Amino acid sequence: MNLYKGNSSVWLDNKARAAESGQSPVTKKILLAGSLLVGLAFAALIARLWYMQLLQGDHFRKLSENNRVRLVDVSPSRGLILDSKGRLLADNRPTFTLAVVPEDVPDWKLLSRRLQELVGITTEEIKKARLAAKGQPPFKPVRIRSHLDREQLAILETFRYELAGVKVLVEYRRAYLAARETAHLVGYLGEINSKELSRYPKSVYRLGDYVGRYGLESAYERVLHGKRGARQVEVDAMGRELNLLDKVDAASGHNLVLSIDLDMQKAAAKALGDETGAVVAMNPQNGEVYCLYSSPTFDQNNFIWGMTSGQWKSLANDKKHPLKNRAISGNYPPGSTYKIVTAAAGLEEGVITPETTFFCPGQIHFGRRFYKCWKKGGHGTVNLQRALSESCDVYFYRLGQKLGIDRLAKYAKAFGLGKRTNISLPHESIGLVPSTAWKKRRFGEVWHEGETLSAAIGQGFNLTTPLQLARMVSVVANGGRLVTPTLVKRMVVSGKQDPVPAPKAVTTKVNIKPEHLRTIHQGLVDVVNSPRGTARRVRLPGITVAGKTGTAQVVGLKFERSFGKEEDVPWKYRSHALFVCYAPAENPTIAVAVVVEHGGHGGSDAGPVAKKVMEEFFGINKKETIQAAAGVSEVSGD
């Protein structure tokens, strides 16, 4: 009893002491677990500090610096495009762009709602901007809408303190000052896409940049674009610039000075009017192009300043294809202008002499059909000079028979047909020069002799561009040289006073004897100046013009005549009107080619267009021209 009490007292004393000293098993476990957790936390903290300060110190130092200092991209100013007299064709005009710096936007939903209320920004625009920002540094401004008007600009400036991250950028956009007259020539720009961006140097191009998509803007993109610059600026927490720390100036693109004369472009546009076709005028001696006009045309400013879906559909679905540059990519049968080639082949191959004659009764019979001359009743007995002057089809049918298609093809290529001229514009067509080998390759069929008759007068499979025709007639004008047409006279380099000359054009000698070219030349002079010439209304006072008319059928003659009168034939079935010429005949300084689609006749429909362009070139008073031409009767024909 006493022993129990004694032991119990000892047990209680020991328990009290253990409780006081915290040495119970449960308490020890709790203390041990707590100590372990604290130790692990300190270890993780030390490891994180070691990682952030030693391994990632530079990275976080840069991020910290970017909260204070930013590198602002500076786009280069695009090079200007000027005509030969220094008149601006493509300029740069200031425009205001709404942009957002992603890392400065605390709440995208709130910002989107506010921008929609203030300036009508849509959720689609915001989504597109955020998508474009992916993969880009968060401090780089992302464009949301360009071409802000003054009212939108004033509203954004008024509420800028509650629009965190919003910036208004002053940028320069292209402006075309002679849009409709030079649309196909100068071309237009388009905003660069991700696929295009991968093909360009990243140091030069960024998303949001504009690049050449057509015409000279595309062909000279690298020259016109320039080099980027940058500004290092100090910003506050709202992203507003406080101080300029350093800068590298952007280098402007090179200016292009063209050989094109804007007055001649306007003259061509006025002369063609609403007709569909093209006009090319060039220097036959060195290939400088004075005029390159295609109709119908368009306003390329719409591609820069914005185009509605309705405008685009109207442009893209237009049956006359206004976006097509017919001067370099329109393929047309050359019609009787091709007789220059046939004549040269006949003389050079010794098949005819200048005195060789053929009798023209108005048609010839070959195979199962009759091949008609344009003049009902025929021209009678004609030599080469008269055959050219009056465009006698029967003469050239006979000559084509004697030559054969392969010899015709040889000289057509020598005159630059069936191949690109290498003018510095994209989308140039090759054209087509048929031959026996070509037909076998294309159709798996042999060439028929009857097809040669059509080819000899520029019909059949023959296809040429207006630029090729201007180059072709230049061979006669310059005495036997095939020149490469050029558009750029010089490039004015940014930061330098002296302009850089454009590369000189390549000239190829055409192997045709000078006396043969002189014979053809005299025939072309008679086309305009002979009493029976087919282009007498193209005469200029005091200046001798040499030329050749052409009428290219687009349907069979029998079908065309089934409509009765010529004016009753539907537009799409009417013949193309062509005319090529050069002047002054004694020492040519200009060569012109005109094609009027479904225009009718070369002499009466295409010739007057060429005349207007030459009047502008030579500065001839229009009243004097009208008086000089009064009383002149016309020969229709070609």
Side-chain angles (χ1 to χ4, degrees):
M1 184 79 177
N2 291 337
L3 180 62
Y4 172 78
K5 287 181 179 179
N7 289 338
S8 175
S9 177
V10 171
W11 179 80
L12 289 173
D13 289 343
N14 288 338
K15 185 175 181 181
R17 283 195 297 270
E20 289 177 2
S21 61
Q23 296 300 316
S24 72
V26 174
T27 303
K28 285 182 179 181
K29 288 181 180 180
I30 292 173
L31 290 174
L32 182 62
S35 300
L36 185 60
L37 288 173
V38 170
L40 288 174
F42 272 104
L45 180 62
I46 293 170
R48 181 63 178 169
L49 289 172
W50 175 79
Y51 172 79
M52 293 176 66
Q53 292 188 12
L54 295 181
L55 295 184
Q56 295 291 315
D58 289 340
H59 171 70
F60 288 105
R61 195 177 300 111
K62 289 178 181 178
L63 289 179
S64 176
E65 185 69 11
N66 279 331
N67 288 331
R68 185 180 67 87
V69 179
R70 285 183 182 162
L71 192 66
V72 179
D73 180 61
V74 178
S75 299
S77 177
R78 195 170 181 85
L80 308 177
I81 301 177
L82 306 93
D83 85 335
S84 59
K85 296 177 182 176
R87 291 169 294 194
L88 277 171
L89 303 179
D91 193 10
N92 301 313
R93 299 288 172 87
T95 182
F96 299 99
T97 298
L98 172 63
V100 170
V101 179
E103 72 174 3
D104 292 337
V105 180
D107 188 337
W108 275 99
K109 288 185 178 179
L110 176 62
L111 180 64
S112 299
R113 185 171 65 253
R114 218 47 200 113
L115 288 176
Q116 187 172 11
E117 293 170 352
L118 294 173
V119 290
I121 298 298
T122 65
T123 54
E124 287 300 318
E125 288 177 291
I126 295 292
K127 286 180 181 179
K128 183 179 177 182
R130 296 189 70 178
L131 186 64
K134 289 185 177 180
Q136 300 294 317
F139 55 84
K140 292 285 186 183
V142 179
R143 295 170 177 82
I144 295 179
R145 179 186 288 181
S146 299
H147 316 305
L148 297 174
D149 59 36
R150 294 187 179 276
E151 183 179 349
Q152 293 171 327
L153 193 64
I155 292 173
L156 290 172
E157 182 63 23
T158 302
F159 293 92
R160 66 190 180 96
Y161 287 102
E162 60 180 87
L163 299 173
V166 170
K167 295 177 69 69
V168 175
L169 307 177
V170 181
E171 299 179 313
Y172 284 85
R173 288 284 183 265
R174 213 50 155 175
Y176 299 105
L177 281 67
R180 295 193 172 275
E181 292 86 1
T182 62
H184 300 93
L185 168 71
V186 172
Y188 53 83
L189 306 178
E191 190 171 347
I192 195 169
N193 55 46
S194 56
K195 185 178 180 180
E196 291 171 322
L197 191 62
S198 65
R199 299 197 302 262
Y200 288 113
K202 292 183 179 179
S203 60
V204 180
Y205 292 88
R206 300 279 193 277
L207 281 174
D209 282 357
Y210 280 77
V211 295
R213 289 278 174 78
Y214 193 68
L216 289 169
E217 293 277 31
S218 174
Y220 285 86
E221 167 59 32
R222 298 295 181 90
V223 172
L224 290 165
H225 187 82
K227 296 182 179 179
R228 312 192 80 82
R231 293 186 303 118
Q232 193 177 38
V233 297
E234 187 176 5
V235 298
D236 62 12
M238 294 287 290
R240 293 187 291 265
E241 295 182 10
L242 301 175
N243 189 28
L244 175 65
L245 302 179
D246 197 4
K247 69 174 182 176
V248 175
D249 292 329
S252 300
H254 300 350
N255 297 338
L256 300 184
V257 180
L258 309 182
S259 57
I260 292 292
D261 185 332
L262 180 57
D263 292 328
M264 293 179 68
Q265 291 286 127
K266 291 180 177 179
K270 185 176 180 181
L272 267 180
D274 295 330
E275 297 285 357
T276 300
V279 180
V280 177
M282 62 187 288
N283 186 328
Q285 308 298 337
N286 61 17
E288 288 186 352
V289 178
Y290 301 137
C291 174
L292 193 89
Y293 179 74
S294 177
S295 176
T297 184
F298 60 95
D299 186 345
Q300 72 260 56
N301 284 307
N302 291 332
F303 287 89
I304 304 298
W305 299 95
M307 187 184 301
T308 65
S309 59
Q311 286 176 316
W312 170 247
K313 287 180 181 178
S314 176
L315 200 59
N317 298 329
D318 193 320
K319 293 181 179 179
K320 291 190 176 182
H321 307 292
L323 294 175
K324 180 179 180 179
N325 186 352
R326 287 169 163 80
I328 64 168
S329 60
N331 284 310
Y332 306 96
S336 291
T337 64
Y338 186 87
K339 292 172 183 176
I340 294 172
V341 172
T342 308
L347 290 169
E348 195 65 25
E349 292 292 319
V351 172
I352 59 169
T353 68
E355 292 74 31
T356 300
T357 61
F358 294 110
F359 179 73
C360 171
Q363 63 182 15
I364 67 170
H365 183 263
F366 185 86
R368 297 180 180 180
R369 58 170 289 192
F370 285 94
Y371 291 80
K372 297 182 180 295
C373 185
W374 71 266
K375 185 177 182 181
K376 193 173 183 180
H379 293 86
T381 302
V382 293
N383 62 11
L384 178 59
Q385 187 170 327
R386 188 179 164 201
L388 285 168
S389 171
E390 300 180 33
S391 200
C392 176
D393 292 328
V394 169
Y395 185 97
F396 290 96
Y397 288 148
R398 297 294 189 192
L399 179 53
Q401 277 184 300
K402 291 178 177 292
L403 282 166
I405 189 60
D406 288 332
R407 285 200 286 187
L408 279 173
K410 171 186 172 183
Y411 286 90
K413 291 178 179 178
F415 274 84
L417 305 184
K419 56 186 175 184
R420 292 185 178 90
T421 67
N422 290 325
I423 192 171
S424 54
L425 286 175
H427 314 301
E428 183 183 8
S429 293
I430 298 174
L432 176 60
V433 172
S435 64
T436 54
W438 168 82
K439 190 179 181 188
K440 188 70 175 177
R441 184 173 61 252
R442 176 67 177 82
F443 298 106
E445 298 176 359
V446 298
W447 184 268
H448 299 292
E449 192 175 348
E451 294 172 312
T452 305
L453 274 68
S454 296
I457 64 166
Q459 294 284 166
F461 295 109
N462 283 306
L463 292 174
T464 56
T465 68
L467 181 60
Q468 288 175 341
L469 292 177
R471 195 183 187 205
M472 175 193 74
V473 78
S474 293
V475 173
V476 182
N478 63 34
R481 291 179 293 111
L482 187 65
V483 294
T484 300
T486 60
L487 290 165
V488 179
K489 292 184 72 172
R490 61 185 180 275
M491 294 181 287
V492 181
V493 182
S494 175
K496 294 185 179 180
Q497 297 296 323
D498 298 329
V500 177
K504 291 185 177 180
V506 178
T507 302
T508 306
K509 178 67 178 174
V510 179
N511 293 321
I512 298 175
K513 294 181 178 66
E515 58 267 28
H516 295 158
L517 289 172
R518 284 194 293 269
T519 298
I520 297 169
H521 163 78
Q522 191 55 54
L524 301 186
V525 170
D526 288 351
V527 168
V528 180
N529 301 280
S530 168
R532 295 182 179 179
T534 55
R536 287 178 289 159
R537 71 166 60 181
V538 186
R539 294 175 186 173
L540 296 176
I543 297 173
T544 304
V545 179
K548 185 70 193 78
T549 55
T551 300
Q553 295 173 340
V554 296
V555 294
L557 186 61
K558 185 177 180 180
F559 178 76
E560 184 178 339
R561 289 179 176 175
S562 68
F563 292 96
K565 294 180 180 180
E566 188 174 338
E567 56 268 23
D568 293 332
V569 178
W571 181 82
K572 64 180 180 179
Y573 297 136
R574 295 178 186 177
S575 299
H576 300 319
L578 303 96
F579 185 69
V580 297
C581 65
Y582 54 86
E586 305 79 16
N587 184 26
T589 54
I590 184 173
V592 183
V594 176
V595 175
V596 182
E597 285 188 22
H598 311 290
H601 301 286
S604 58
D605 298 288
V609 176
K611 181 178 181 178
K612 293 294 184 183
V613 172
M614 288 190 291
E615 283 177 356
E616 182 61 48
F617 178 77
F618 290 113
I620 296 173
N621 184 281
K622 294 180 181 180
K623 291 183 179 179
E624 293 178 357
T625 303
I626 293 170
Q627 292 171 359
V632 176
S633 61
E634 270 307 314
V635 177
S636 58
D638 282 326

